[in-house]
Amino acid sequence: MRLPHPYGIIIAAKSIGENVMIGQYVTLGGNNCKERQGSNGEPIHTPVIGNNCQISTGSVVAGPITIGNNVVIGANSTITKDIPSGTLLYNSTGVSRHSYIVPGWKGAFHPV
C-alpha cells in the first residue's frame, strides 16, 4: 500500500490488495447496518479492495462492497456499490451527484 500524502486518511477495510495507492482525505469504511457473507461465511461490513487500485484524493468507499483489481477511482468520488475489475470511475466536473463508469478501461494507471 502506498500513501503519498498520508493526511486525513481513515482506513477500516476487510482487506486491501497489493500495489494500492490511497490519496489524502480518503475514507474506507463500513456500515454496521449492512452486511454480506464473505467467501468463507463470515459477515463483511467493510470494503474489500483488490490489487493495483488507485483511490484518489477525497474519495469515500463505504459499506460491504468489493472493489475489483486494476480500478482507478477519481478524486472526490463516493462509492457504495461493487466496482468490477478494470474500471475507471470518476465524477464529472459540475455534476457532483453523478458518476461515470468506464468498464474495461485500459488507461494509464502505472503500478507503484
Side-chain angles (χ1 to χ4, degrees), residues 44-104:
I44 296 175
H45 298 281
T46 57
V48 175
I49 311 296
N51 297 321
N52 303 316
C53 292
Q54 176 178 333
I55 305 172
S56 300
T57 301
S59 294
V60 175
V61 179
I65 62 175
T66 299
I67 305 299
N69 297 323
N70 305 307
V71 169
V72 175
I73 298 172
N76 298 314
S77 297
T78 300
I79 313 300
T80 59
K81 297 182 179 178
D82 290 347
I83 303 297
S85 293
T87 300
L88 164 65
L89 189 138
Y90 63 96
N91 284 328
S92 175
T93 309
V95 187
S96 62
R97 294 185 188 172
H98 296 77
S99 294
Y100 296 90
I101 299 176
V102 183

